[in-house]
mmCIF file of all heavy atoms in Angstrom:
data_model
loop_
_atom_site.group_PDB
_atom_site.id
_atom_site.type_symbol
_atom_site.label_atom_id
_atom_site.label_comp_id
_atom_site.label_asym_id
_atom_site.label_seq_id
_atom_site.Cartn_x
_atom_site.Cartn_y
_atom_site.Cartn_z
ATOM 1 N N LEU A 203 115.117 97.668 69.879
ATOM 2 C CA LEU A 203 114.221 96.429 69.844
ATOM 3 C C LEU A 203 112.975 96.652 70.711
ATOM 4 O O LEU A 203 111.843 96.300 70.270
ATOM 5 C CB LEU A 203 115.047 95.129 70.417
ATOM 6 C CG LEU A 203 114.359 93.778 70.184
ATOM 7 C CD1 LEU A 203 114.108 93.495 68.673
ATOM 8 C CD2 LEU A 203 115.153 92.758 70.879
ATOM 9 N N VAL A 204 113.187 97.222 71.930
ATOM 10 C CA VAL A 204 111.978 97.460 72.728
ATOM 11 C C VAL A 204 111.075 98.499 72.185
ATOM 12 O O VAL A 204 109.831 98.382 72.148
ATOM 13 C CB VAL A 204 112.491 97.928 74.197
ATOM 14 C CG1 VAL A 204 111.348 98.444 74.991
ATOM 15 C CG2 VAL A 204 113.300 96.835 74.899
ATOM 16 N N TRP A 205 111.747 99.546 71.551
ATOM 17 C CA TRP A 205 111.024 100.594 70.891
ATOM 18 C C TRP A 205 110.072 99.944 69.785
ATOM 19 O O TRP A 205 108.839 100.256 69.611
ATOM 20 C CB TRP A 205 111.925 101.554 70.264
ATOM 21 C CG TRP A 205 111.287 102.855 69.748
ATOM 22 C CD1 TRP A 205 110.100 102.949 69.224
ATOM 23 C CD2 TRP A 205 112.022 104.205 69.583
ATOM 24 N NE1 TRP A 205 109.877 104.288 68.786
ATOM 25 C CE2 TRP A 205 111.110 105.076 69.001
ATOM 26 C CE3 TRP A 205 113.224 104.536 69.935
ATOM 27 C CZ2 TRP A 205 111.426 106.354 68.714
ATOM 28 C CZ3 TRP A 205 113.555 105.886 69.778
ATOM 29 C CH2 TRP A 205 112.675 106.787 68.997
ATOM 30 N N ASP A 206 110.759 99.165 68.946
ATOM 31 C CA ASP A 206 109.971 98.522 67.800
ATOM 32 C C ASP A 206 108.962 97.501 68.287
ATOM 33 O O ASP A 206 107.856 97.362 67.783
ATOM 34 C CB ASP A 206 110.959 97.803 66.872
ATOM 35 C CG ASP A 206 111.756 98.693 65.917
ATOM 36 O OD1 ASP A 206 111.306 99.873 65.811
ATOM 37 O OD2 ASP A 206 112.797 98.298 65.407
ATOM 38 N N GLY A 207 109.234 96.888 69.458
ATOM 39 C CA GLY A 207 108.330 95.988 70.024
ATOM 40 C C GLY A 207 107.005 96.663 70.479
ATOM 41 O O GLY A 207 105.865 96.137 70.290
ATOM 42 N N VAL A 208 107.208 97.792 71.189
ATOM 43 C CA VAL A 208 106.081 98.497 71.602
ATOM 44 C C VAL A 208 105.259 99.080 70.505
ATOM 45 O O VAL A 208 103.978 99.031 70.416
ATOM 46 C CB VAL A 208 106.536 99.737 72.488
ATOM 47 C CG1 VAL A 208 105.312 100.720 72.843
ATOM 48 C CG2 VAL A 208 107.149 99.271 73.778
ATOM 49 N N THR A 209 105.949 99.474 69.343
ATOM 50 C CA THR A 209 105.221 99.933 68.238
ATOM 51 C C THR A 209 104.451 98.857 67.559
ATOM 52 O O THR A 209 103.342 98.972 67.144
ATOM 53 C CB THR A 209 106.209 100.560 67.137
ATOM 54 O OG1 THR A 209 106.929 101.630 67.772
ATOM 55 C CG2 THR A 209 105.543 101.034 65.934
ATOM 56 N N ALA A 210 105.118 97.664 67.476
ATOM 57 C CA ALA A 210 104.430 96.464 66.814
ATOM 58 C C ALA A 210 103.207 96.016 67.599
ATOM 59 O O ALA A 210 102.212 95.587 66.990
ATOM 60 C CB ALA A 210 105.423 95.359 66.719
ATOM 61 N N MET A 211 103.234 96.098 68.962
ATOM 62 C CA MET A 211 102.111 95.722 69.714
ATOM 63 C C MET A 211 100.809 96.613 69.393
ATOM 64 O O MET A 211 99.744 96.103 69.626
ATOM 65 C CB MET A 211 102.463 95.814 71.210
ATOM 66 C CG MET A 211 103.491 94.739 71.658
ATOM 67 S SD MET A 211 103.033 93.028 71.243
ATOM 68 C CE MET A 211 104.146 92.815 69.826
ATOM 69 N N GLY A 212 101.034 97.780 68.958
ATOM 70 C CA GLY A 212 99.904 98.583 68.619
ATOM 71 C C GLY A 212 99.567 98.550 67.037
ATOM 72 O O GLY A 212 98.633 99.231 66.663
ATOM 73 N N ALA A 213 100.256 97.696 66.380
ATOM 74 C CA ALA A 213 100.046 97.575 64.912
ATOM 75 C C ALA A 213 99.009 96.512 64.558
ATOM 76 O O ALA A 213 98.653 95.694 65.553
ATOM 77 C CB ALA A 213 101.354 97.306 64.269
ATOM 78 N N PRO A 214 98.666 96.410 63.305
ATOM 79 C CA PRO A 214 97.709 95.292 62.947
ATOM 80 C C PRO A 214 98.309 93.885 63.193
ATOM 81 O O PRO A 214 99.512 93.763 63.269
ATOM 82 C CB PRO A 214 97.464 95.531 61.449
ATOM 83 C CG PRO A 214 97.791 97.013 61.317
ATOM 84 C CD PRO A 214 98.820 97.315 62.259
ATOM 85 N N PRO A 215 97.506 92.957 63.375
ATOM 86 C CA PRO A 215 98.012 91.635 63.799
ATOM 87 C C PRO A 215 99.076 90.994 62.813
ATOM 88 O O PRO A 215 100.075 90.457 63.319
ATOM 89 C CB PRO A 215 96.707 90.691 63.756
ATOM 90 C CG PRO A 215 95.608 91.585 64.045
ATOM 91 C CD PRO A 215 96.061 92.909 63.368
ATOM 92 N N LEU A 216 98.917 91.211 61.568
ATOM 93 C CA LEU A 216 99.910 90.631 60.622
ATOM 94 C C LEU A 216 101.215 91.347 60.820
ATOM 95 O O LEU A 216 102.281 90.629 60.876
ATOM 96 C CB LEU A 216 99.429 90.831 59.190
ATOM 97 C CG LEU A 216 100.398 90.368 58.042
ATOM 98 C CD1 LEU A 216 100.650 88.886 58.349
ATOM 99 C CD2 LEU A 216 99.886 90.582 56.702
ATOM 100 N N GLN A 217 101.322 92.653 60.994
ATOM 101 C CA GLN A 217 102.530 93.356 61.238
ATOM 102 C C GLN A 217 103.227 92.922 62.589
ATOM 103 O O GLN A 217 104.383 92.810 62.559
ATOM 104 C CB GLN A 217 102.290 94.857 61.142
ATOM 105 C CG GLN A 217 103.591 95.751 61.297
ATOM 106 C CD GLN A 217 103.185 97.178 61.124
ATOM 107 O OE1 GLN A 217 102.266 97.500 60.613
ATOM 108 N NE2 GLN A 217 104.180 98.021 61.637
ATOM 109 N N ARG A 218 102.358 92.693 63.578
ATOM 110 C CA ARG A 218 102.854 92.222 64.800
ATOM 111 C C ARG A 218 103.535 90.934 64.751
ATOM 112 O O ARG A 218 104.627 90.652 65.251
ATOM 113 C CB ARG A 218 101.818 92.311 65.817
ATOM 114 C CG ARG A 218 102.312 91.887 67.286
ATOM 115 C CD ARG A 218 101.111 92.211 68.316
ATOM 116 N NE ARG A 218 99.849 91.446 68.121
ATOM 117 C CZ ARG A 218 98.754 91.924 67.688
ATOM 118 N NH1 ARG A 218 98.608 93.341 67.538
ATOM 119 N NH2 ARG A 218 97.653 91.314 67.592
ATOM 120 N N LYS A 219 102.798 90.027 64.016
ATOM 121 C CA LYS A 219 103.377 88.644 63.835
ATOM 122 C C LYS A 219 104.580 88.619 63.030
ATOM 123 O O LYS A 219 105.529 87.798 63.326
ATOM 124 C CB LYS A 219 102.277 87.737 63.140
ATOM 125 C CG LYS A 219 101.066 87.458 64.099
ATOM 126 C CD LYS A 219 100.111 86.617 63.340
ATOM 127 C CE LYS A 219 98.810 86.311 64.290
ATOM 128 N NZ LYS A 219 97.847 85.477 63.544
ATOM 129 N N LEU A 220 104.702 89.446 62.079
ATOM 130 C CA LEU A 220 105.944 89.562 61.282
ATOM 131 C C LEU A 220 107.080 89.973 62.066
ATOM 132 O O LEU A 220 108.184 89.464 61.989
ATOM 133 C CB LEU A 220 105.768 90.430 60.043
ATOM 134 C CG LEU A 220 105.024 89.894 58.869
ATOM 135 C CD1 LEU A 220 104.835 90.922 57.825
ATOM 136 C CD2 LEU A 220 105.841 88.719 58.265
ATOM 137 N N PHE A 221 106.903 90.995 62.965
ATOM 138 C CA PHE A 221 107.883 91.499 63.683
ATOM 139 C C PHE A 221 108.378 90.441 64.772
ATOM 140 O O PHE A 221 109.637 90.250 64.853
ATOM 141 C CB PHE A 221 107.394 92.719 64.574
ATOM 142 C CG PHE A 221 108.408 93.101 65.654
ATOM 143 C CD1 PHE A 221 109.495 93.889 65.403
ATOM 144 C CD2 PHE A 221 108.096 92.886 67.023
ATOM 145 C CE1 PHE A 221 110.386 94.297 66.410
ATOM 146 C CE2 PHE A 221 108.993 93.157 68.031
ATOM 147 C CZ PHE A 221 110.141 93.890 67.616
ATOM 148 N N LEU A 222 107.494 89.772 65.382
ATOM 149 C CA LEU A 222 107.892 88.665 66.310
ATOM 150 C C LEU A 222 108.632 87.563 65.582
ATOM 151 O O LEU A 222 109.561 86.921 66.091
ATOM 152 C CB LEU A 222 106.639 88.064 67.007
ATOM 153 C CG LEU A 222 105.844 89.073 67.895
ATOM 154 C CD1 LEU A 222 104.645 88.475 68.484
ATOM 155 C CD2 LEU A 222 106.846 89.511 69.072
ATOM 156 N N PHE A 223 108.198 87.208 64.326
ATOM 157 C CA PHE A 223 108.839 86.281 63.547
ATOM 158 C C PHE A 223 110.255 86.642 63.155
ATOM 159 O O PHE A 223 111.232 85.795 63.384
ATOM 160 C CB PHE A 223 108.110 85.872 62.250
ATOM 161 C CG PHE A 223 108.723 85.035 61.314
ATOM 162 C CD1 PHE A 223 108.879 83.628 61.480
ATOM 163 C CD2 PHE A 223 109.392 85.552 60.183
ATOM 164 C CE1 PHE A 223 109.515 82.858 60.599
ATOM 165 C CE2 PHE A 223 110.084 84.814 59.268
ATOM 166 C CZ PHE A 223 110.210 83.392 59.407
ATOM 167 N N HIS A 224 110.490 87.862 62.796
ATOM 168 C CA HIS A 224 111.862 88.313 62.447
ATOM 169 C C HIS A 224 112.751 88.315 63.725
ATOM 170 O O HIS A 224 113.868 87.957 63.614
ATOM 171 C CB HIS A 224 111.741 89.765 61.985
ATOM 172 C CG HIS A 224 111.099 89.935 60.619
ATOM 173 N ND1 HIS A 224 110.416 91.052 60.151
ATOM 174 C CD2 HIS A 224 110.823 88.950 59.668
ATOM 175 C CE1 HIS A 224 109.891 90.931 59.019
ATOM 176 N NE2 HIS A 224 110.024 89.612 58.663
ATOM 177 N N VAL A 225 112.179 88.750 64.770
ATOM 178 C CA VAL A 225 113.014 88.711 66.034
ATOM 179 C C VAL A 225 113.362 87.244 66.455
ATOM 180 O O VAL A 225 114.507 86.883 66.759
ATOM 181 C CB VAL A 225 112.252 89.419 67.198
ATOM 182 C CG1 VAL A 225 113.036 89.236 68.540
ATOM 183 C CG2 VAL A 225 112.113 90.891 66.999
ATOM 184 N N ALA A 226 112.397 86.409 66.335
ATOM 185 C CA ALA A 226 112.625 84.972 66.651
ATOM 186 C C ALA A 226 113.718 84.313 65.780
ATOM 187 O O ALA A 226 114.557 83.606 66.245
ATOM 188 C CB ALA A 226 111.304 84.124 66.530
ATOM 189 N N VAL A 227 113.650 84.614 64.402
ATOM 190 C CA VAL A 227 114.634 84.020 63.560
ATOM 191 C C VAL A 227 116.007 84.758 63.827
ATOM 192 O O VAL A 227 117.025 83.942 63.731
ATOM 193 C CB VAL A 227 114.250 84.277 62.076
ATOM 194 C CG1 VAL A 227 115.350 83.860 61.068
ATOM 195 C CG2 VAL A 227 112.967 83.451 61.766
ATOM 196 N N SER A 228 116.058 85.957 64.067
ATOM 197 C CA SER A 228 117.369 86.700 64.193
ATOM 198 C C SER A 228 118.021 86.207 65.445
ATOM 199 O O SER A 228 119.204 85.953 65.393
ATOM 200 C CB SER A 228 117.138 88.244 64.153
ATOM 201 O OG SER A 228 118.294 88.872 64.078
ATOM 202 N N LEU A 229 117.247 86.162 66.517
ATOM 203 C CA LEU A 229 117.869 85.789 67.779
ATOM 204 C C LEU A 229 117.865 84.332 68.031
ATOM 205 O O LEU A 229 118.856 83.808 68.794
ATOM 206 C CB LEU A 229 117.201 86.471 68.941
ATOM 207 C CG LEU A 229 117.150 88.031 68.984
ATOM 208 C CD1 LEU A 229 116.438 88.633 70.173
ATOM 209 C CD2 LEU A 229 118.531 88.583 68.795
#
């Protein structure tokens, strides 16, 4: 989760928001 989070922080805004949304819904 930390690995993917670091990767997402360097990704385009839409990809970063999708990752945060998925984590928020899952957890």
Side-chain angles (χ1 to χ4, degrees):
L203 188 64
V204 172
W205 189 332
D206 283 344
V208 171
T209 302
M211 292 306 101
L216 178 59
Q217 186 175 338
R218 181 169 62 250
K219 290 179 180 179
L220 279 175
F221 170 77
L222 294 175
F223 172 76
H224 295 157
V225 172
V227 173
S228 191
L229 300 184

